[in-house]
């Protein structure tokens, strides 16, 4: 599969919402305003993959302090000193599954996190994707924020990839 990665812009948000719906159905829709706030917080960590048919995938990541995930569907608080990156969402349209889009988007975020000097990259995996993230070296960790984790859905798993930053 042939595709190109580029940094996400505000103009991409309408296509991002289409990809989000194709990837998750109606279950995990976030508003454009919430997603754009994440993009604005860490623009170097938000990417899109495009192929001849249009947007094939996207990734949102941002800096985030602590050992708990950020709450869903809300704007993030003001930036604090962060020792970790947080991969908020990576989605690929069904036509691009297995074509390397997800791995390329993840590699871009991992490079950003390494360059930022983060000690780890964290994410919350949906139950169906935990094995996917374990292949990249992520390991499950326990979050003390049970109410935040509950919003991510049954079987969601807080995971960490140590970076040694």
């Amino acid at each position: 599969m042939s595709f190109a990665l580029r940094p996400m812009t505000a103009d991409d948000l309408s296509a991002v919402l289409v990809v989000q719906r194709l990837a998750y159905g109606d279950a995990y829709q976030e508003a454009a305003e919430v997603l754009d706030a994440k993009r604005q917080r860490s623009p170097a960590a938000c990417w899109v993959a495009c192929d001849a048919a249009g947007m094939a995938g996207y990734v949102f990541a941002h800096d985030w302090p602590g050992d708990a995930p950020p709450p869903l569907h809300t704007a993030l608080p003001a930036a604090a000193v962060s020792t970790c990156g947080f991969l908020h969402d990576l989605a690929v349209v069904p036509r691009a599954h297995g074509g390397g889009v997800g791995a390329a988007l993840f590699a871009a975020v991992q490079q950003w996190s390494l360059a930022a000097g983060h000690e780890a990259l964290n994410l919350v995996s949906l139950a169906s994707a935990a094995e996917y993230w374990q292949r990249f070296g992520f390991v499950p960790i326990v979050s003390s924020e049970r109410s935040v984790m509950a919003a991510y859905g049954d079987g969601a798993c807080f995971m960490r990839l140590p970076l040694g930053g």
Side-chain angles (χ1 to χ4, degrees):
M1 173 176 194
S2 178
F3 61 89
L5 293 186
R6 64 173 173 74
M8 185 185 295
T9 68
D11 292 337
D12 292 317
L13 290 173
S14 61
V16 162
L17 294 175
V18 171
V19 172
Q20 183 182 65
R21 188 157 311 280
L22 287 170
Y24 303 122
D26 294 331
Y28 293 99
Q29 301 304 306
E30 285 195 280
E33 299 79 23
V34 171
L35 293 173
D36 196 42
K38 290 170 176 42
R39 183 192 64 80
Q40 290 179 46
R41 180 174 176 136
S42 296
C46 299
W47 295 80
V48 295
C50 298
D51 63 14
M55 190 176 293
Y58 66 79
V59 65
F60 285 90
H62 53 80
D63 61 322
W64 187 249
D67 291 331
L72 281 176
H73 308 295
T74 61
L76 298 172
V81 175
S82 297
T83 58
C84 296
F86 186 80
L87 194 160
H88 175 73
D89 187 21
L90 188 154
V92 176
V93 296
R95 73 170 190 280
H97 286 180
V101 172
L105 289 165
F106 170 68
V109 168
Q110 186 177 24
Q111 288 304 310
W112 159 79
S113 198
L114 285 165
H118 294 145
E119 66 185 34
L121 184 58
N122 297 331
L123 60 80
V124 174
S125 171
L126 300 179
S128 61
E131 286 184 26
Y132 176 83
W133 292 114
Q134 287 173 332
R135 288 189 297 232
F136 288 104
F138 282 87
V139 295
I141 59 172
V142 175
S143 170
S144 61
E145 298 292 329
R146 294 191 193 283
S147 63
V148 171
M149 284 300 299
Y152 283 89
D154 290 341
C157 181
F158 190 44
M159 302 181 87
R160 171 169 291 160
L161 174 66
L163 299 174

